[in-house]
Amino acid sequence: MPQPALSLARLSEALGLPEQSLLALVANCDTAPDPTLVALTVEEAARRLGVGRTTMYGLVSSGEVPSVMIGRLRRIPAQALSDYIADRAGATVALVA
């Protein structure tokens, strides 16, 4: 038997937060990415490009978007995304011309 959906009131009660605080937390989850980050996770990079995580992993695996390992963590330099877009835009212009 499926669980009944939690209402906002029940969820805020379970978390011990007022409903307005819970709504504010949810609203803050959709804020713009931190522009000061130099290296991004694959998920952050995908969000910035507006593509899915799997597509981003494909771009990294193929070498189209460079990445670096920092310890055991794979990170994508933020500048690499700008370079990728510039390269793609240049390729599109060359094909049209």
Side-chain angles (χ1 to χ4, degrees):
M1 179 177 283
Q3 294 283 336
L6 282 176
S7 68
L8 180 61
R10 287 184 58 205
L11 185 57
S12 67
E13 181 183 325
L15 293 172
L17 292 171
E19 287 183 33
Q20 293 297 12
S21 296
L22 184 57
L23 289 172
L25 284 172
V26 171
N28 286 335
C29 289
D30 292 335
T31 58
D34 182 356
T36 62
L37 290 177
V38 176
L40 310 167
T41 66
V42 174
E43 289 80 8
E44 290 167 337
R47 223 178 354 257
R48 284 195 184 185
L49 283 181
V51 299
R53 198 181 75 132
T54 303
T55 299
M56 192 72 229
Y57 273 107
L59 292 170
V60 169
S61 294
S62 70
E64 290 182 76
V65 175
S67 66
V68 296
M69 294 298 290
I70 302 174
R72 293 175 48 190
L73 305 173
R74 178 161 308 278
R75 293 293 182 256
I76 299 168
Q79 184 60 44
L81 299 179
S82 298
D83 295 344
Y84 173 74
I85 293 297
D87 289 346
R88 297 293 296 175
T92 304
V93 170
L95 289 174
V96 173

